[in-house]
Amino acid sequence: MPKKIKRIAVLTSGGDSPGMNAAIRSVVRTCAYHDLECIGVYRGYEGLIEGDFKPMDARSVKGIINKGGTILKSARSKEFRTVEGRQKAYKKLVEAGIDGLVVIGGDGSFTGAMILNDEFDFPVMGIPGTIDNDIVGTTHTLGFDTALNTVVDAIDKIRDTASSHNRLFFIEVMGRDVGHIALNAGIAGGAEEILIPEEDLGLDRLVESLRRSRKSGKTSSIVIVAEGDKIGKNIFELKDFVDDNMEGYDVRVSVLGHMQRGGSPSCFDRVLASRMGVKAVESLLEGKSNYMVGLQNTKMELTPFDNAIKGKTKINLELLRVSDIMST
Ligand code: ATP
């Protein structure tokens, strides 16, 4: 029989994403609903090792559902990667009478949680919080939708100035080694080309496509470049190449950067965070451990950490085709 869960801790780890606060709120309120105590852990695994804990009740999370970032702060912990570090963390958990842990973070954070579970048989549950949408087992990670809206808003604004000056803009977006942000925001922002790591377009095809676009009567162009794309990796070299090889183009670069990680979460992310928090706490109560909660076919489902951290979510080929047709 698994030990009865009475006290649950929650932490945010790795890169932050909009919706993490909404997920913390959901975990805390689900605990309160089930008469469980909830402990907030500051600064991810770093705070777990140091015992940087604070009891949280339902009222302590008021007014945060609409806030970006994470009130618990996030951190990357080198020490947690060592057995000694995890031993210290486990000791702090036991001393504080904590029976289960909810980790809000990316695949690295889940790897850490999985190892903690393997070594000490400590119940853990994960909520995928990253704007990159790169985790297997959920169609949407927390923050992805908000980041898309931020990027689309930026594209719309850049489009205004691009068309006033007949310019070509390369806009670099985040996403690490996957192109989900670039592909979706590119379609929504009406980009002429989208460069993603999953599809090697090549410089020649890019140049050809830009020429075609100019010939067809377009006076300005927007190319969305995923930060992990091979030819986009150095976006300023890409600009120089186009400057040197295509006459008559006034080329500019805009790197959107960390603004994509901030901001008030979208309605979609707030609802998703609320659902994920409920599922995570109730799954721990049911005696489950070592899973990530995720959205699959509109339902909340569990995926073993082992599967969630393996591989990357595949790009939707239908979206690629739509993007090609739309840039005609
Ligand atoms: P993001 O997707 O934003 O990068 P992440 O959760 O993948 O988020 P990481 O920096 O990879 O971010 O991991 C967060 C923390 O998880 C690390 O600082 C470390 O403490 C812990 N962690 C990651 N990998 C391991 C591992 N192999 N063993 C133990 N702990 C790990």
Side-chain angles (χ1 to χ4, degrees):
M1 276 286 284
K3 195 179 159 210
K4 196 164 180 292
I5 303 262
K6 294 196 204 103
R7 190 175 288 167
I8 287 178
V10 57
L11 61 79
T12 47
S13 167
D16 67 329
S17 69
M20 279 186 163
N21 277 328
I24 295 168
R25 173 181 180 269
S26 173
V27 169
V28 171
R29 294 219 166 144
T30 309
C31 284
Y33 179 85
H34 289 287
D35 283 329
L36 308 172
E37 284 178 58
C38 190
I39 307 289
V41 179
Y42 285 97
R43 296 176 294 113
Y45 293 129
E46 217 39 33
L48 196 59
I49 290 169
E50 292 168 20
D52 194 357
F53 300 162
K54 183 187 165 201
M56 299 180 89
D57 64 15
R59 296 285 73 73
S60 69
V61 287
K62 68 171 191 252
I64 65 166
I65 193 169
N66 56 334
K67 300 269 192 299
T70 156
I71 57 163
L72 289 176
K73 312 279 181 191
S74 191
R76 301 193 199 265
S77 168
K78 270 200 187 142
E79 201 180 352
F80 195 76
R81 290 175 182 271
T82 66
V83 189
E84 295 75 26
R86 291 190 295 274
Q87 250 157 5
K88 281 190 206 165
Y90 176 66
K91 195 161 167 260
K92 294 288 182 192
L93 284 165
V94 174
E95 279 169 7
I98 295 164
D99 314 299
L101 174 67
V102 177
V103 172
I104 307 170
D107 52 357
S109 303
F110 295 162
T111 308
M114 193 174 74
I115 297 174
L116 183 79
N117 176 270
D118 286 349
E119 288 172 344
F120 304 103
D121 197 22
F122 195 84
V124 287
M125 203 52 71
I127 293 180
T130 164
I131 64 167
D132 303 332
N133 208 34
D134 58 350
I135 298 181
V136 175
T138 187
T139 52
H140 290 75
T141 54
L142 265 191
F144 175 54
D145 183 68
T146 306
L148 287 181
N149 285 306
T150 302
V151 173
V152 171
D153 184 50
I155 297 173
D156 288 348
K157 286 175 175 144
I158 291 170
R159 173 77 73 186
D160 289 344
T161 169
S163 51
S164 302
H165 291 274
N166 291 349
R167 279 181 176 148
L168 161 62
F169 265 87
F170 288 115
I171 304 178
E172 185 189 288
V173 301
M174 283 182 163
R176 285 196 296 200
D177 44 3
V178 292
H180 297 293
I181 294 180
L183 185 56
N184 286 274
I187 291 173
E192 276 64 41
E193 269 303 341
I194 303 169
L195 307 186
I196 55 171
E198 292 86 346
E199 193 205 34
D200 190 5
L201 184 66
L203 277 172
D204 293 340
R205 270 175 62 205
L206 173 65
V207 166
E208 189 192 311
S209 156
L210 290 173
R211 287 207 176 107
R212 238 194 351 257
S213 154
R214 174 67 48 112
K215 255 196 196 153
S216 77
K218 290 188 182 179
T219 50
S220 68
S221 294
I222 300 247
V223 177
I224 303 297
V225 184
E227 64 179 342
D229 179 74
K230 209 161 83 188
I231 54 171
K233 270 216 167 99
N234 191 335
I235 197 163
F236 292 97
E237 277 175 17
L238 179 61
K239 173 195 181 303
D240 291 344
F241 179 86
V242 173
D243 271 340
D244 294 346
N245 290 279
M246 298 186 70
E247 275 181 19
Y249 270 91
D250 187 8
V251 190
R252 293 288 189 275
V253 167
S254 180
V255 177
L256 298 188
H258 282 78
M259 66 181 284
Q260 295 163 89
R261 291 241 296 251
S264 180
S266 64
C267 171
F268 182 90
D269 275 328
R270 294 181 201 192
V271 175
L272 184 64
S274 304
R275 295 176 72 187
M276 285 178 163
V278 171
K279 182 75 176 175
V281 171
E282 294 190 340
S283 299
L284 281 172
L285 277 181
E286 286 163 14
K288 299 195 174 97
S289 174
N290 231 5
Y291 290 98
M292 179 198 84
V293 304
L295 183 66
Q296 294 174 23
N297 299 320
T298 76
K299 291 210 173 72
M300 279 292 112
E301 303 285 356
L302 298 179
T303 300
F305 274 147
D306 217 10
N307 294 352
I309 61 179
K310 257 189 235 147
K312 297 280 171 206
T313 42
K314 296 218 162 42
I315 215 80
N316 182 340
L317 294 177
E318 186 238 349
L319 282 186
L320 265 183
R321 189 163 172 268
V322 168
S323 120
D324 280 348
I325 295 173
M326 289 305 112
S327 60
T328 304

